[in-house]
Amino acid sequence: MVKTPTFEDQRLRAYFSHVATSLGALKDVRLLSVAHMVHNSSIFLPALSDIAPVALLLPKPKTADSDIGREIRSQFPGLPIPFDREWAKDANKVAEAVSQYTAPKDRVILVDIGGYFAESLDEIVALTNDRVIGVMEGTENGVQRYESECERRGLGQYSVPIVTVARSPLKLPEDYHVGSGVVFSVEAVLREQAQILQTRSACVIGYGRVGSSVAEVLRGRGIPTVVHDTSPIAMAEAAARGFRVYRRLDDALGASTLVISATL
């Protein structure tokens, strides 16, 4: 049975088609793409292939065997073994996949969501004779993995560029919607317990992009909200935005009857 595309599906396809047409196709470039197997990926991945073909799809483990996952995987080549962090950390296996799924003349970009190649990237580049020319990372969590690995190994930077959309100003509306979704879910859980959100005072642990959005949504709903973060910069930003901040976690917890953790 063929599903009829919804209006939102058609809108997204039109948008992605416009972006792909505007950018144009990249010559002799192939993508190895890590992706959630969710409905939007069935629209996004074909559009991505219009810019540069997805030579290898690496489904995120928790969504790989879903119905939509199987549908998407039928459109793209995939590994015969489950993709996971252990596989991605093995530079030899990744280099072997690059050799198997791309032509020798192809340059390769790793499209990542979650920092899967943070520990193996430089070795992958070397093993593929510099054919891997960079990483496009889509999540803040992933960016921090790459940064942490650089710091751990004492590297100034990787041997290829890491480009991220996670810190683009265009992501700010998405972060706010994520915060709204978190608060909506918390309220639904409380309702199941015959409680209401407005009777609570909240503590948000972690004042990053999601945590700050959660805190703003809670305050907008009239919920007294305090913030704790291990980063002095994040604490200063929260204080500048009018939140009461606590340096000690136990003090923050003691001032709250609802705790939301927005940490990695």
Side-chain angles (χ1 to χ4, degrees):
M1 177 177 167
V2 179
K3 295 181 181 178
T4 303
T6 66
F7 174 79
E8 182 64 12
D9 289 344
Q10 293 173 331
R11 188 183 70 83
L12 283 173
R13 285 173 181 165
Y15 170 74
F16 286 138
S17 176
H18 170 73
V19 171
T21 301
S22 299
L23 293 175
L26 298 176
K27 185 178 180 181
D28 297 333
V29 173
R30 297 294 182 266
L31 307 177
L32 270 63
S33 178
V34 180
H36 286 290
M37 297 294 94
V38 295
H39 178 70
N40 283 352
S41 295
S42 67
I43 302 172
F44 172 70
L45 289 168
L48 193 61
S49 286
D50 288 341
I51 298 173
V54 176
L56 179 62
L57 179 63
L58 307 171
K60 292 274 278 190
K62 292 184 179 179
T63 58
D65 292 326
S66 63
D67 289 341
I68 188 66
R70 286 187 286 274
E71 178 185 331
I72 294 170
R73 290 172 74 178
S74 69
Q75 303 174 46
F76 298 93
L79 287 173
I81 60 172
F83 169 71
D84 56 22
R85 291 199 181 276
E86 291 306 311
W87 184 91
K89 286 194 295 186
D90 190 327
N92 287 294
K93 290 182 178 178
V94 179
E96 183 180 341
V98 169
S99 176
Q100 180 179 351
Y101 289 94
T102 64
K105 67 176 182 178
D106 291 335
R107 296 168 295 160
V108 177
I109 297 173
L110 304 177
V111 180
D112 198 2
I113 48 171
Y116 277 84
F117 305 101
E119 295 181 38
S120 56
L121 179 58
D122 278 346
E123 192 176 354
I124 293 169
V125 173
L127 288 172
T128 57
N129 297 317
D130 296 329
R131 289 177 54 218
V132 172
I133 60 174
V135 176
M136 198 284 283
E137 169 59 53
T139 67
E140 177 64 23
N141 179 27
V143 174
Q144 292 188 24
R145 283 182 183 274
Y146 282 104
E147 290 176 338
S148 296
E149 183 62 18
C150 265
E151 183 177 348
R152 185 185 73 81
R153 295 166 59 188
L155 299 174
Q157 59 185 16
Y158 286 99
S159 58
V160 294
I162 311 292
V163 178
T164 177
V165 298
R167 293 173 180 173
S168 166
L170 296 175
K171 289 274 284 185
L172 294 177
E174 177 182 320
D175 294 333
Y176 186 82
H177 288 309
V178 171
S180 296
V182 169
V183 174
F184 177 85
S185 297
V186 167
E187 191 167 21
V189 171
L190 288 174
R191 261 197 227 102
E192 290 177 355
Q193 305 299 319
Q195 301 180 43
I196 58 174
L197 182 63
Q198 282 69 22
T199 63
R200 299 294 181 121
S201 56
C203 169
V204 177
I205 302 174
Y207 196 77
R209 299 186 71 138
V210 172
S212 60
S213 298
V214 171
E216 290 288 354
V217 173
L218 286 168
R219 181 164 62 179
R221 297 289 300 277
I223 310 302
T225 303
V226 302
V227 170
H228 168 78
D229 198 296
T230 56
S231 165
I233 295 174
M235 295 278 277
E237 182 179 349
R241 293 181 178 274
F243 289 101
R244 177 175 292 181
V245 299
Y246 286 92
R247 184 175 60 84
R248 290 171 52 89
L249 177 58
D250 53 352
D251 290 338
L253 297 177
S256 311
T257 57
L258 171 67
V259 178
I260 299 176
S261 178
T263 60
L264 296 178

